[in-house]
């Protein structure tokens, strides 16, 4: 059964894919795949399989694959230590970026490369733009995207064989707040993955009270 049917949407959804996150997840999930000449193909193989399964199972009329561009974003200008703790992209993954982008386009999927912002920013902007017209299904795992959840916007996370569907109702039940409050909550507690400090001594419990 397609996501559209499971979520009981009466219009064809727009599917927005966090391509950069998928690329990294694919790369680390299977590190042993390469061509006969040693060229790495693990990320290419997994990303293409995910996309082909999506096209087969969902038969989407509207789908976008969004990836981060090169260079800093506006966040780096605001805070020069933003993601300073992140290692550089591994060279075997760098080698697969352009083949993946070409594969996406050959499958007929719209490829969007962000510049000056992150792919997540574009995903959230597009979700806000189109949700009044039709449902939006975001294929991503970044918790920040939960701020977009709405009656017309859902987020689907895939970790291995486990699929988690985040809806407005499930978010409210799990977090006891509205999605619009999520960015403030995250800012207060900080985010070690992005090297963003929160308020000293304030954890999730106190932040929820605030």
């Amino acid at each position: 059964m397609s996501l559209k049917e499971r979520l009981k949407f009466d219009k064809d959804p727009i599917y927005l894919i966090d391509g950069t996150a998928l690329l990294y997840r694919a790369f680390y999930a299977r590190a042993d795949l390469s061509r006969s000449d040693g060229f790495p193909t693990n990320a290419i193989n997994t990303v293409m399989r995910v996309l082909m399964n999506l096209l087969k199972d969902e038969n989407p009329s509207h789908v976008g694959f969004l990836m981060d561009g090169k260079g800093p974003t506006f966040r780096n200008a605001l805070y020069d230590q933003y993601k300073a703790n992140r290692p550089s992209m591994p060279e075997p993954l760098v080698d697969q970026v352009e083949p993946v982008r070409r594969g996406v386009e050959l499958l007929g999927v719209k490829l969007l490369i962000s510049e000056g912002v992150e792919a997540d920013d574009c995903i959230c902007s597009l979700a806000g733009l189109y949700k009044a017209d039709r449902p939006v299904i975001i294929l991503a795992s970044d918790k920040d995207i939960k701020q977009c959840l709405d009656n017309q916007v859902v987020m689907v996370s895939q970790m291995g064989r486990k699929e988690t569907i985040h809806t407005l109702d499930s978010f409210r039940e799990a977090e006891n707040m509205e999605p619009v409050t999520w960015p403030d909550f995250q800012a207060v507690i900080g985010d070690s993955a992005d090297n963003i400090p929160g308020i000293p001594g304030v954890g999730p419990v106190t932040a929820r009270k605030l």
Side-chain angles (χ1 to χ4, degrees):
M1 185 182 293
S2 70
L3 282 167
K4 175 187 173 182
E5 293 170 319
R6 281 186 280 162
L7 294 165
K8 296 180 172 57
F9 287 143
D10 56 3
K11 275 189 175 183
D12 286 340
I14 290 177
Y15 294 80
L16 300 174
I17 304 167
D18 185 345
T20 297
L22 176 58
L23 185 76
Y24 269 92
R25 197 166 73 246
F27 178 75
Y28 287 107
R30 299 190 65 183
D32 57 339
L33 291 179
S34 61
R35 212 165 53 189
S36 60
D37 62 359
F39 186 88
T41 58
N42 53 333
I44 299 169
N45 177 276
T46 301
V47 171
M48 291 301 104
R49 283 195 297 108
V50 168
L51 279 179
M52 287 189 288
N53 285 337
L54 174 73
L55 296 175
K56 179 183 70 175
D57 297 339
E58 304 297 328
N59 191 28
S61 57
H62 303 75
V63 56
F65 191 92
L66 294 96
M67 299 187 71
D68 293 333
K70 292 181 179 180
T73 70
F74 72 95
R75 289 180 178 84
N76 300 100
L78 292 171
Y79 178 55
D80 62 5
Q81 294 302 303
Y82 177 66
K83 290 186 177 181
N85 56 336
R86 297 277 187 97
S88 300
M89 181 182 286
E91 197 62 35
L93 181 53
V94 173
D95 291 341
Q96 297 180 74
V97 171
E98 285 306 319
V100 163
R101 290 179 176 178
R102 181 64 178 143
V104 169
E105 293 176 323
L106 287 171
L107 287 174
V109 173
K110 180 66 177 179
L111 174 66
L112 298 171
I113 309 299
S114 64
E115 296 295 342
V117 297
E118 296 182 1
D120 291 347
D121 297 313
C122 297
I123 288 172
C124 291
S125 295
L126 290 170
L129 179 64
Y130 290 112
K131 67 182 182 181
D133 179 58
R134 62 179 62 246
V136 178
I137 296 177
I138 301 173
L139 305 180
S141 55
D142 192 325
K143 63 182 180 298
D144 294 340
I145 292 179
K146 291 180 180 179
Q147 66 187 280
C148 298
L149 294 173
D150 185 86
N151 287 322
Q152 285 281 90
V153 181
V154 302
M155 173 178 158
V156 179
S157 302
Q158 194 84 36
M159 301 300 287
R161 296 182 179 276
K162 183 182 178 183
E163 177 190 77
T164 303
I165 299 177
H166 305 275
T167 66
L168 178 59
D169 288 340
S170 70
F171 176 87
R172 285 170 170 167
E173 182 177 352
E175 306 298 343
N176 195 30
M177 68 179 78
E178 295 297 312
V180 69
T181 309
W182 191 240
D184 296 326
F185 175 74
Q186 294 296 324
V188 168
I189 65 174
D191 189 342
S192 59
D194 289 343
N195 202 39
I196 298 175
I199 298 176
V202 178
V205 174
T206 303
R208 289 179 192 281
K209 293 177 182 178
L210 292 173

